[in-house]
Amino acid sequence: MILSTTDTLQGIPVNEYLGVVTAEVVYGSNALRDFFAGIRDIIGGRTGAYERVFEKGQKDAMDELSKRAQRLGADAVIGIEIDTGTINLDESGVLLLITATGTAVKL
């Protein structure tokens, strides 16, 4: 499965557009990770724990995007866009949301 952020694949014609595919990954927050992220906010610097969560989430979202495109009979997903966000759960915490969207195509 070819996965690309571009609308076209150089030298490879698209024979059929199969439709938009989307994959979502949601992770719960972690009290210990949140605590250390809060310290980083105060003293400055990068928050490695959350960077790893987003890195894993992006990989998981791309893997799921590939699976959903395969179910449609696709050879590739083009025009991929990855978005991140949060879902606030009142006072009980925050969920991290990672969404991947692209167009499934037959080559």
Side-chain angles (χ1 to χ4, degrees):
M1 176 72 59
I2 298 171
L3 303 173
S4 176
T5 57
T6 61
D7 314 1
T8 60
L9 299 172
Q10 188 172 351
I12 304 173
V14 171
N15 292 320
E16 184 179 358
Y17 291 86
L18 302 174
V20 173
V21 285
T22 303
E24 305 81 17
V25 176
V26 179
Y27 290 105
S29 57
N30 173 296
L32 187 59
R33 186 173 48 223
D34 291 347
F35 173 76
F36 287 113
I39 291 173
R40 287 283 186 199
D41 286 344
I42 293 168
I43 63 172
R46 295 169 59 171
T47 307
Y50 276 106
E51 287 177 357
R52 287 187 294 279
V53 169
F54 278 105
E55 182 179 341
K56 181 180 179 342
Q58 290 173 2
K59 181 190 178 312
D60 290 347
M62 292 294 281
D63 289 347
E64 183 61 29
L65 192 70
S66 179
K67 287 178 191 172
R68 292 181 185 185
Q70 283 176 337
R71 282 187 235 140
L72 295 175
D75 301 310
V77 181
I78 59 174
I80 294 173
E81 182 177 315
I82 297 175
D83 292 314
T84 59
T86 59
I87 302 169
N88 293 321
L89 301 174
D90 299 325
E91 295 170 24
S92 60
V94 172
L95 297 176
L96 305 174
L97 172 66
I98 299 159
T99 305
T101 305
T103 303
V105 297
K106 270 265 211 233
L107 303 175

